Amino acid sequence: MEKEMVIGIPRGMSFYNNYPFWFGFFSSLGIKIVLSDPTTKQTMSDGSALVVTETCLPIKIYLGHILNLIAKGVKNIFVPSLQSIAPKIYNCSKIRGLPDLVRNVIKADINIIEPTLDKSQKHQGLYAFLEEAVKPFGITNIEEIKKASKQGWKVYNNFLVMARSGMSYKKAMNYALQGKVFIENASTSAPINVALVSHAYNIYDDRACMKIFDKLEKMDVKVFTSLQLTDEQMEEGIAALGQKRYWANEYEMTGTAGHYLKDNKIDGIITLNAFGCGPDSLMIERITRKAKDSGKPMLSLTIDEHTGEAGFITRLEAFIDMLYRKKRSKIINKISMPEYDYVPQTNICDSLTFAEKK
Amino acid sequence: MSLDVYLGIDVGSVTTKLALVDEKGKYVDSYMLKTAGKPVDAVQDGLRHILSQALCDYSVKGVGTTGSGRNLAGALVGADVVKNEITAHAVAASTNIPGVQTILEIGGQDSKIIILRDGIVTDFAMNTVCAAGTGSFLDHQAQRLNVPIEKFGETALKSENPARIAGRCGVFAESDLIHKQQLGYPVEDLLYGLCQALVRNYLSNLALGKELLPTISFQGGVATNSGMVKAFEEALNTKIVVPENHQTMGAIGAALLAMENHQYTEAETKFKGWEVGNMNFQSVTCQCTGCSNNCEVITILEGAQHIGHVEKIGDIKGNIIARWGGTCGRWDIN
């Protein structure tokens, strides 16, 4: 029987980290990829309607994307279960149980492609994981899979090289998928440099993060993220916070924060987490304590599907103002500190004689 | 003879505040009125009032707006600076209160804490989803207990044995309050108990892990409530300064920011003049059907002609001064 060589990939969770790899891998095996549409209000509300309210925003969004793929008529949907990416390094339970979650809340005639990556329990290697991913398409030749994975790494590495050079996430992604590599000259320095510490699925989803990159750029802020760091730098970052790595995507949080806390060119740290995220609540607490000790200003933002944009903008603006004013504090002090002693409630019009007070 | 002034407008959720400072940053005048759901009218009324009680001619050199309605107010009057209320309050306090290191600010819907060192903001926090302890909640409870909000503080101060109210959440605080009221607690004990509960809530929510050093300034509408001031003083065991213009501090800050901007850039002000108070403005809401986000886009127009129902946003013609509500930016005007 001829299998349909089409795979649907939801734009959510690990998509934002791993898509360049999957693109190269599946394309090389002749499997056509259908992506869900970028997140909209509809995606969020559709996904939220499926699960209990306590579930975190990225999972709700993920489910919304699955519905979107079903609406597009995709039969095979890729929902990997990333249990453990290295011995004793685990993902959060929601990510580990993602295929089960999807199966339980979405009642539709779909075929969930659910390879499991578990390097702690089974000492399973990457190839076994990849084999599982393409088995439903009738591809079993290990040499072919190895070749395709090389192609996957190529796209992924191209993406990483460009992102590390300081190129924006979207640009780097686009070029990588087109098979191009450009290195941009490092852009000129901005008055304020900020490190944005968060998971990729929070900050590269325009809807979820309310375009935080655009907002910061408009305020003349240069944003640094985990993408500009090497694994070694992030490993050192985690060590700098005095802890060993436990969570699979801890690089994006404590690793990044730990590195940028020591970086003098960074004026402040912004963390962004989804309301109700267990691992983040622990990691951000650790980052907050370290930031306090090292005197680095820090802002913690929380998002969920009800987050109002007004409060979000106010916090961002106030934080950037604070950094900006700190930098030019000398000038500000000269301007805002009057030379005369302040006498409260003296209406200076009183001293003008031509009018009577009403 | 005319006086060079800077105008600050703070459009909050409940009240709208206007303030003037002179070219040295010294307080000239201020006025506060209810926003009453119509920020445009409130700004216009405020401008007319400030002008009518003027003792001399004003020559406006710059305008700053702040508060949750800052963008709207900025578009209406032609603001030079549109800033968030945290910066505005911090600037006003550091200029007017010598040695201020902590600002407690509680308004109609927001509560904030701002930590300053050497006149510079070093940390701040804003209430998140919880509005317990803000002005609206106190207003509501006072109304329920049939105490005029102006008398709230006075009544609360009479309390000798304050009731212990659960202040973790506004909903629980209310049911606890009703329970205690039915047990026969005197009103003053209930009110002061509520103040203490809200102060506990504020300190555990916003001030957690922050070092509250004196001088501590208490600003915003709720600072009028002497019961809250006393409760803060007891909880923090230190004197709290309530500046004379605590209600209009945000507007004063906005005016100071306009002044700073003018002295920095020396640019001509974009202020449209006091006539703004008598101009016609209207707003038209229309849903964009460009994508599945279905954003509601609101357009603010200046001018008299009436615009009724419109099908498409593109059909709105006239002197558009502001438009927002879209996510993608296709309807933004500059």
Side-chain angles (χ1 to χ4, degrees), chain A residues 40-41 207 211 292 314-315 317-318 321-322 325 328 332 335 340 342 345 347 349 354-355 358, chain B residues 24 26-28 52-53 55-56 70 83-84 87 96 121-122 126-127 209 245 257 260 292-293 327:
Chain A
T40 62
K41 201 152 77 183
R207 183 83 202 177
K211 297 193 175 171
K292 214 176 160 193
T314 301
R315 282 177 177 78
E317 268 186 26
D321 266 355
M322 174 176 114
R325 289 179 162 258
R328 43 163 230 186
I332 290 295
I335 296 172
Y340 54 85
Y342 173 69
Q345 201 66 343
N347 196 327
C349 286
F354 65 86
K358 283 166 205 171
Chain B
K24 282 195 178 126
K26 211 164 162 187
Y27 174 80
V28 175
S52 70
Q53 68 176 19
L55 300 179
C56 52
R70 58 185 179 276
K83 275 275 179 221
N84 60 83
T87 311
N96 290 335
V121 181
T122 56
M126 243 171 107
N127 62 333
N245 299 306
L257 285 163
E260 187 193 292
S292 61
N293 278 328
T327 8

Side-chain angles (χ1 to χ4, degrees), chain A residues 194-229:
Chain A
V194 162
L196 181 58
V197 177
S198 182
H199 297 298
Y201 53 73
N202 284 333
I203 49 176
Y204 300 122
D205 185 326
D206 280 349
R207 183 83 202 177
C209 75
M210 291 179 270
K211 297 193 175 171
I212 190 168
F213 284 96
D214 293 2
K215 289 194 168 77
L216 287 169
E217 257 161 45
K218 268 188 200 154
M219 298 180 210
D220 270 344
V221 176
K222 194 166 157 61
V223 188
F224 291 82
T225 64
S226 59
L227 276 180
Q228 279 93 49
L229 301 180

Side-chain angles (χ1 to χ4, degrees), chain A residues 42-53 60 63-64 67 105 305:
Chain A
Q42 192 70 40
T43 327
M44 272 194 197
S45 53
D46 286 354
S48 305
L50 288 176
V51 285
V52 291
T53 41
K60 290 174 182 168
L63 293 170
L67 292 181
V105 298
E305 67 267 40

Side-chain angles (χ1 to χ4, degrees), chain A residues 25 29 126-127 130-132 134-135 139-150:
Chain A
F25 178 72
L29 290 168
L126 183 67
Y127 289 133
L130 295 177
E131 259 187 281
E132 228 181 302
V134 291
K135 214 177 185 175
I139 301 167
T140 45
N141 184 339
I142 188 73
E143 287 312 313
E144 215 179 320
I145 291 169
K146 280 184 181 175
K147 226 175 90 193
S149 86
K150 272 198 191 113

